[in-house]
Amino acid sequence: MKFGGTSVENAHAFARVGRILRMQNDSRLVVVVSAISGVTDALLNSVRIACEVNPEAARRTLERHFERHREVARALLPTRAAVNVATEIEDAGREIAEALKNIASGRQPRPLLQDVIVSYGERLSATLLTAVLVHDGFPAKYVDARHCVITDAVHGQAAPVMAKTFSNTRAALVPLLEAGEIPVLGGFIAASEDGTTTTLGRGGSDYTATLVGAALGAREVQIWTDVPGVLTANPNAVKEARTIPQLSYAEAAAMACFGAKMLHPKTVEPLIAQSIPLRVGNSRAPTEAGTLVCAEVAASPHVIKAIAHKPDTTVVHVTLPDRRGSNGDSSLCLKAAHYSNPSVNVLTASETSILLTVDETGALDSIREEMLGYGSVVIEKQRALACLVGEGLREVPDFAAHILSTLKEIDISFIAPDASGVYALFGVDEARVGDAVRQLHKAFFQMREDD
Ligand code: ADP
Ligand code: ASP
Ligand code: MG
């Protein structure tokens, strides 16, 4: 059971976790928790301030976030336990201050220390939640996730070493479960094989939950968040968005990759081999049905299940010299694009052209440089991707025509279907993507409700 940042945003939310645990039929539970909402952003921001201003100013910005943890402890714990939590927060504050100084002085590499600093978000929320659950009568036990999830050394975006992660997780958690205890782990944080702290990329607690679930052969993994499941569109863009009852792994993965932030892009990967179901529910309304993600989904009369979108995208068109039949440049270029940076997505490729998107503009210069070695490069900034998701989408008659006629007022820079027929992507101007998603939502969801 994974609880996101807003599901532990204050004392009220912390208290609700115990109520959700009591609703479960299983006696063997594992809890994964994110940092309290806003804390990861604040920790990352403190790193920036330490480098640009000074470490003391950086440390001061964190004080009010430490206070949020103390408030939860004072509200929900007896004095002695609250004092223990306060001592832990003090220790964390001291260690963070030291790390901020080392970052500012350049004594140790920034990516490495940044991971150490952000890891305190999950370490503090998990120890606090453990104390709250213990006081509430649960046999909860804090487990340092860095002993379970083992990764490569790519700080900020580490990839798990699966065999090691599975064996370490089992070794750490099975004895606790057999003793009737409830392990509580911070999500998102991990360690490289030499023991250095790493993180799994923003939103990575979802991934921790499914890695742990897969390692243990869980009956299911539950993601508790602040919306009633996976919705037909981002609710911030489409207020009429509604809960999707069921999604296949491929559909959920497409949504997660193309902007639906309630799941980290790799969340479903660990579940597929064992067909472990994933439930997404609202921690504020835990009795509502939410979304079930699994291998076999009931046939839906409507193929299109959702529209995801992703602003802040740069589109890179690479045109290769026309040497039809040789294929060499195209496949080399494709390989280079794949490996050049984790923020690169290859959308389409042919013998003579490749279309890439890049999430982080910071990576753009090096990608442009690399692609110029293969052909001419055109870059479109301030673009967005819109993604229609639904298994069997390719078989829908007049599908593309329907999209184009729905969006006739909006400039579409490209349409890229995916080979498996689970989603189709469009490039649109960032300023118009909200309109595009609302118009598609109306055409594919609201209109069919009206007729
Ligand atoms: P948590 O802190 O629980 O991990 P996140 O903020 O990472 O929560 O993800 C939940 C948010 O994802 C929602 O509040 C919503 O704004 C956003 N979101 C974007 N697209 C969707 C979608 N299709 N369905 C549900 N939520 C979405
Ligand atoms: N706390 C981390 C983040 O904000 C991980 C997570 O919330 O899943 O990105
Ligand atoms: Mg999240």
Side-chain angles (χ1 to χ4, degrees), residues 116-175:
V116 171
I117 289 170
V118 291
S119 76
Y120 282 97
E122 269 69 11
R123 286 155 67 183
L124 288 176
S125 67
T127 44
L128 181 53
L129 181 61
T130 308
V132 168
L133 291 174
V134 167
H135 181 60
D136 201 7
F138 290 96
K141 186 102 186 173
Y142 173 72
V143 175
D144 190 332
R146 295 172 299 172
H147 299 150
C148 298
V149 182
I150 307 302
T151 65
D152 62 18
V154 181
H155 289 283
Q157 198 64 253
V161 179
M162 290 297 175
K164 199 97 201 173
T165 295
F166 279 28
S167 63
N168 280 21
T169 301
R170 281 198 287 261
L173 303 191
V174 170

Side-chain angles (χ1 to χ4, degrees), residues 2-17:
K2 176 260 174 175
F3 295 87
T6 46
S7 301
V8 289
E9 65 189 345
N10 53 27
H12 188 70
F14 267 85
R16 210 166 39 205
V17 172

Side-chain angles (χ1 to χ4, degrees), residues 2-7 34 37 203 206 223-227 229-236 244 255 259-263 306-308:
K2 176 260 174 175
F3 295 87
T6 46
S7 301
S34 296
S37 63
D206 303 322
I223 303 269
W224 293 95
T225 182
D226 62 347
V227 280
V230 182
L231 306 180
T232 47
N234 184 333
N236 300 318
I244 307 164
M255 291 191 70
K261 163 175 175 249
M262 78 287 129
L263 294 177
I307 308 158

Side-chain angles (χ1 to χ4, degrees), residues 280-314:
V280 184
N282 188 350
S283 59
R284 293 168 184 160
T287 51
E288 280 177 22
T291 300
L292 173 65
V293 180
C294 56
E296 300 285 327
V297 292
S300 152
H302 303 293
V303 172
I304 308 296
K305 291 209 180 140
I307 308 158
H309 75 281
K310 193 173 185 176
D312 294 325
T313 298
T314 300

Side-chain angles (χ1 to χ4, degrees), residues 79-104:
T79 314
R80 184 196 283 260
V83 168
N84 287 345
V85 169
T87 309
E88 252 172 75
I89 294 169
E90 237 170 72
D91 292 345
R94 222 174 303 113
E95 287 157 28
I96 291 172
E98 191 61 34
L100 288 169
K101 272 191 209 143
N102 289 339
I103 280 195

